[in-house]
Amino acid sequence: MTRTGRSPHRPRPARTATAVVTLAGTLLAGPALAPQAFADPATRQVPVINGDFTAPSFTASGSGDKLTGWTVQYPFRLLPADAKHPDGLPALLLRNKRTTDQSVSQRLRGVRAGAQVTVTFDDSTGGLKSACSKDQIANGQPYTLQGSGGTRQTFTTDPGSTDWHRDRTYTFTANENEPLITFASAQTKGTWDCGPLLAKVRATDVPPPVDKTIGKTALPAPEAFEGNDRIDARKAADHCANSRNTCTFTVDEPYSYTYYDKARVVGEAYLNCSRNTVNHDRPVGFTGRAYDNLSESADIDRLPNPKDNLHQQFTKGFAKTSPEPWRWDTATDRKIHETIEAGEVSWIESQAGRHRVDGWFVDEGEAPDKQIRLHIVADGPSPLVPDRIYQRTGPFTAAEKSRCRSDRPTAPTPVDAGAPATGTDR
């Protein structure tokens, strides 16, 4: 006897079932792999673009061209001879706040939300020649530093001194990918061209652990940046798709992983209500597909399209981390020989091998201030972890026992069925 469709009450905790697991043609036994986050991530260096304030090159202290990598309206830099930094570096002056915001900011590229970030830098009081009054030097120059997700911390250059204070630090936990750090003057008195000087900005971070609780249909939304500014993901995707080589996709390997999806029932449940063992061949077929947050969250159907340049960049970048190509869909057709004892039920479950890919499309050809970056997440059938197929058997439930004991459905009893038999009419 067969029952078609998925059985909503399987698998049942109360049922003591046996299972045979088929894995790429090999019989295995055991539970699914439990996802594990990598433990105790090490501190790593984070790139700070133009952290020494040397670009673009300049030949005189004062206002000049836009500061490469930083968002600032009118950068005021001192040549090494005027900055007097111990390492012979130039310095950036944070002007006193008057009518405009004299802040400088930059996104720390490659830093993830949840990372613990430490910014290290040197400061001093200074300006051009005798720009600083005695009071400004005596009191020190206040300024603030804040990173996305952190509190705004106030610093003051060493009172009564124009010497450089080495290796000041500020630590915060990022609440967004590529967090923004912002230095801003907190002084509103005295001459504008005397203030805190900054030099030698560096950064490190401790990446957050991998979150493997996010389902394949609930991927985070894509994010895009142009220089230090957030932009719409569609603008970044269209830009990268201009040609096959406009952007390069790089897999963020610590946050990309293989795993087994939740098991699901495939096909029929077979109830053996007879008194004999049943042997038969059962065809089993199931399919799998990939999900990506560009398609799911932003309705940008570029990644699954093999003719799209974004697709080409993605598959090329993934190939650098995997010996097998990325798969956008898969179909499995198997034949399983079932042996079902009398009074038992047999059913099939599948558990798909999946691969989560986290990474960035980056236009390496653009200058830092115009560089397009697009963060995406994709989840598809794994080219590295084979699917599992469970052949399971177990005793009947009470409802199934009742069904097996029910009367055989027949046509209504014929008229005169109770009359004695007579000879055959000829």
Side-chain angles (χ1 to χ4, degrees), residues 15 56 60 62 94 137 153 159 161-162 173 181 208 241-242 338 354 356 360 366:
R15 168 173 283 160
L94 293 177
I137 295 175
Q153 184 173 337
S161 173
T162 57
T173 299
I181 58 170
N242 282 336
E338 286 186 303
R354 306 284 299 182
R356 179 72 53 88
W360 292 83
E366 291 284 355

Side-chain angles (χ1 to χ4, degrees), residues 145-354:
L145 172 56
Q146 184 174 21
S148 301
T151 57
R152 182 181 289 107
Q153 184 173 337
T154 300
F155 295 85
T156 303
T157 60
D158 291 344
S161 173
T162 57
D163 293 338
W164 282 90
H165 187 129
R166 307 298 297 271
D167 297 329
R168 288 194 183 273
T169 61
Y170 168 73
T171 299
F172 68 100
T173 299
N175 67 349
E176 63 176 344
N177 288 336
E178 301 210 342
L180 192 72
I181 58 170
T182 302
F183 292 91
S185 172
Q187 180 64 273
T188 57
K189 299 178 180 179
T191 56
W192 70 267
D193 51 355
C194 174
L197 298 179
L198 301 177
K200 200 174 182 179
V201 180
R202 303 288 188 268
T204 61
D205 80 336
V206 177
V210 181
D211 184 358
K212 296 187 177 181
T213 64
I214 300 173
K216 62 182 183 291
T217 59
L219 302 177
E223 296 179 275
F225 303 91
E226 180 177 0
N228 293 321
D229 298 325
R230 282 188 174 272
I231 60 173
D232 183 69
R234 185 176 297 277
K235 177 181 178 180
D238 291 345
H239 172 84
C240 287
N242 282 336
S243 74
R244 183 170 295 186
N245 298 317
T246 300
C247 294
T248 300
F249 180 73
T250 301
V251 176
D252 195 345
E253 294 191 59
Y255 294 90
S256 302
Y257 54 90
T258 57
Y259 69 99
Y260 279 108
D261 206 353
K262 294 179 180 179
R264 61 187 179 93
V265 176
V266 178
E268 303 170 333
Y270 194 112
L271 278 68
N272 183 3
C273 292
S274 71
R275 296 184 177 91
N276 302 311
T277 299
V278 172
N279 290 276
H280 76 130
D281 291 330
R282 174 205 286 261
V284 175
F286 58 91
T287 61
R289 54 157 289 196
Y291 300 82
D292 70 272
N293 59 354
L294 278 181
S295 302
E296 304 297 323
S297 300
D299 197 25
I300 302 172
D301 296 324
R302 286 190 174 277
L303 281 178
N305 182 359
K307 296 182 179 181
D308 196 280
N309 289 322
L310 210 67
H311 172 100
Q312 302 292 333
Q313 294 162 14
F314 175 85
T315 54
K316 184 178 179 180
F318 178 75
K320 295 178 181 178
T321 65
S322 171
E324 299 293 333
W326 177 261
R327 297 189 295 179
W328 289 99
D329 53 56
T330 185
T332 299
D333 291 299
R334 305 289 295 275
K335 182 179 287 186
I336 295 177
H337 183 76
E338 286 186 303
T339 300
I340 311 170
E341 300 295 335
E344 286 199 339
V345 60
S346 173
W347 71 98
I348 303 297
E349 295 177 4
S350 69
Q351 195 170 30
R354 306 284 299 182

Side-chain angles (χ1 to χ4, degrees), residues 2 27 33 49 54 72 102 216 243 275 299 308 333 371:
T2 62
L27 296 181
L33 297 180
I49 298 173
T54 57
V72 52
Q102 304 295 340
K216 62 182 183 291
S243 74
R275 296 184 177 91
D299 197 25
D308 196 280
D333 291 299
Q371 186 183 64

Side-chain angles (χ1 to χ4, degrees), residues 91-110:
L92 179 70
L93 171 67
L94 293 177
R95 301 173 181 180
N96 291 342
K97 280 189 176 181
R98 294 296 180 82
T99 58
T100 58
D101 182 6
Q102 304 295 340
S103 65
V104 294
S105 57
Q106 179 180 147
R107 289 196 177 275
L108 298 179
R109 303 181 185 189

